[in-house]
Amino acid sequence: MKGGEHVRNALQNGLDVTILGDNDFYSQRSQLEKRNLPPSLESLRKIPPFVPLGVKIENVHKTGMGSSAALITSVVGSLMIHLKAFGSVDLSRDIEETRRLIHNAAQYIHCLAQGKVGSGFDVSSAIFGSHIYTRFDPKVIQPLMESSIGETSLLPTLSPENDAWTYRVQPFRLPPLTRLLLADVDAGSDSPSMASKVLKWPLEYWTSLDQANMVVSQALLKLSESYRVHPIEYSTALKTIVLRPAVEWHSLTGKNGVVFELIQHFDRAYRAIQAVRQQMKRMGELAGVPIEPDEQTRLLDSCTGVPGVIGGGVPGAGGYDAIWILIIELDDASLGSPLANVQKLWQGWQEMNVSPLLAEESLSSGLRMEQLNEVNGLAEAMKFVQE
């Protein structure tokens, strides 16, 4: 590990930092209106990548997809690599110590920027990709949070060798033949202020919510395992339920025991997601913050009533930011298209302005070094910034 003298020498000629954000982190309504395009996935693909926002950062309408955490994680990782803070910079090899150091530092800086210790999941996702996360004990960085910058040495606390970092990362993927849809709704929330109010609630509320979330994750992992063992029956089950709203799945019967069992697994996933929604809405009501506002409740209820929709909810701290929907996606036009039907519902929704996002589940390992010419639009965006 390099020390302060190394950093001072590396920065003696200064450093230029260029920050670019993916379009999905920010509302693209103004871009769609400028091009006279409807809010649809097809329209969003016509907007250039990394399109300039045209406003100051404090006036940006964020979509609640963890842009703050992604920004901090990217900057921390980039600086550590640029300053050669560790021996290897080959993140593609998933060197555990390197990722853990970047994770620990980014968690601390993100908490410092937001003025409180949150769940940590958004930073962890930026580091490790799709996974099930068990939060670290906030006490590990509390001394740093309470001291002035430069007053306390950072490395003893942030070191990957510090056993006080108790977070856990478990692999996770969505079930095959399903797709995660995200949508930007109206106006972004003040995540730090909302989260700080909710975080004050007693441990039993969080324990109950954690248990409900684990039921969801286990139900989805069970579906993935079922596909591995019974791929044909799995597809047959999907072809049966894609034509019906999820509320009807529990009443379906059939002669094929495996298919029927798989339908019940999907029904359990739907009911588990609904249970999480109910708990989050109740916590919001008790805390006096709109985790799932009534307007979004009506929108989500309508979305889950579309045939082929497994469930949905509000991501992150909730509020008037975004929604997520998990749908069945089959390559068979005769079975209809949950994707098209959900988009149609969003376009006709009157109570709130709903615009889809292009983001999908990432199957990569999270933080990684990119080659300039391998990221669509990145080289062009860099030229624009440098001009």
Side-chain angles (χ1 to χ4, degrees):
M1 191 68 61
K2 307 295 177 64
E5 186 64 28
H6 168 80
V7 173
R8 284 189 287 273
N9 291 335
L11 296 178
Q12 61 183 342
N13 295 321
L15 181 67
D16 290 329
V17 177
T18 300
I19 297 173
L20 296 170
D22 186 271
N23 289 354
D24 265 5
F25 281 135
Y26 312 103
S27 175
Q28 300 300 326
R29 288 193 180 89
S30 61
Q31 292 292 331
L32 294 173
E33 292 171 0
K34 186 186 302 183
R35 293 167 170 78
N36 197 29
L37 294 171
S40 67
L41 295 174
E42 182 180 358
S43 297
L44 290 170
R45 293 189 182 99
K46 297 178 181 178
I47 300 176
F50 307 104
V51 65
L53 299 171
V55 297
K56 293 182 178 180
I57 191 67
E58 59 265 25
N59 297 323
V60 169
H61 175 181
K62 300 194 294 183
T63 55
M65 291 294 112
S67 57
S68 299
L71 168 63
I72 286 175
T73 300
S74 297
V75 171
V76 169
S78 298
L79 287 174
M80 285 190 173
I81 290 171
H82 177 75
L83 298 173
K84 298 180 174 61
F86 27 67
S88 173
V89 297
D90 186 5
L91 294 175
S92 65
R93 291 194 297 163
D94 197 22
I95 299 174
E96 183 67 17
E97 182 176 313
T98 300
R99 285 187 181 274
R100 290 186 62 200
L101 175 61
I102 297 174
H103 168 273
N104 297 354
Q107 291 284 14
Y108 162 58
I109 294 170
H110 189 239
C111 292
L112 193 66
Q114 296 209 329
K116 50 88 183 175
V117 181
S119 73
F121 179 62
D122 43 8
V123 169
S124 185
S125 296
I127 298 288
F128 299 109
S130 185
H131 66 281
I132 299 172
Y133 185 66
T134 301
R135 182 196 193 204
F136 60 89
D137 188 335
K139 292 178 181 178
V140 68
I141 59 172
Q142 204 61 46
L144 297 182
M145 295 286 288
E146 294 174 351
S147 62
S148 300
I149 295 177
E151 182 180 296
T152 306
S153 177
L154 299 179
L155 185 57
T157 296
L158 303 182
S159 170
E161 297 178 1
N162 181 0
D163 293 336
W165 286 94
T166 54
Y167 65 90
R168 287 189 293 117
V169 173
Q170 300 169 261
F172 178 83
R173 288 182 64 172
L174 291 174
L177 305 178
T178 67
R179 173 173 176 170
L180 186 67
L181 293 179
L182 299 168
D184 165 32
V185 293
D186 283 342
S189 305
D190 182 2
S191 295
S193 63
M194 283 187 60
S196 63
K197 292 181 180 179
V198 176
L199 286 171
K200 295 177 181 177
W201 277 89
L203 179 61
E204 57 263 28
Y205 286 96
W206 289 104
T207 301
S208 178
L209 180 59
D210 176 63
Q211 291 171 347
N213 277 321
M214 289 307 297
V215 172
V216 172
S217 64
Q218 293 305 314
L220 297 178
L221 288 171
K222 179 65 176 178
L223 286 169
S224 296
E225 173 63 17
S226 297
Y227 176 82
R228 188 185 69 81
V229 178
H230 303 290
I232 296 176
E233 290 85 352
Y234 182 95
S235 297
T236 301
L238 284 180
K239 291 176 182 178
T240 302
I241 63 177
V242 73
L243 299 173
R244 297 170 175 81
V247 71
E248 297 179 5
W249 294 349
H250 74 283
S251 61
L252 294 174
T253 60
K255 295 180 180 179
N256 188 315
V258 175
V259 172
F260 175 72
E261 182 180 351
L262 285 165
I263 291 174
Q264 297 309 302
H265 286 328
F266 275 99
D267 178 61
R268 291 189 194 101
Y270 157 69
R271 295 185 183 281
I273 292 170
Q274 290 291 92
V276 169
R277 276 187 59 199
Q278 291 168 5
Q279 291 219 31
M280 290 186 68
K281 187 170 181 67
R282 179 58 177 159
M283 286 183 69
E285 291 170 347
L286 293 172
V289 295
I291 295 180
E292 185 183 295
D294 291 342
E295 299 95 318
Q296 279 177 291
T297 295
R298 290 187 283 271
L299 173 60
L300 286 167
D301 286 347
S302 293
C303 289
T304 53
V306 174
V309 171
I310 300 169
V314 291
Y320 298 92
D321 267 343
I323 62 171
W324 63 268
I325 302 292
L326 183 62
I327 65 170
I328 297 168
E329 188 168 57
L330 300 174
D331 189 18
D332 188 341
S334 67
L335 296 173
S337 171
L339 173 61
N341 292 334
V342 168
Q343 283 201 90
K344 184 178 179 180
L345 173 69
W346 288 349
Q347 289 180 7
W349 196 255
Q350 298 296 314
E351 190 173 11
M352 305 177 77
N353 188 303
V354 187
S355 179
L357 301 175
L358 289 173
E360 298 182 47
E361 180 189 21
S362 172
L363 299 180
S364 65
S365 59
L367 187 69
R368 61 191 182 276
M369 293 182 65
E370 301 280 15
Q371 298 301 316
L372 186 65
N373 294 321
E374 292 180 2
V375 179
N376 182 34
L378 182 56
E380 291 76 7
M382 287 293 293
K383 291 178 182 176
F384 177 83
V385 172
Q386 292 167 357
E387 293 172 356

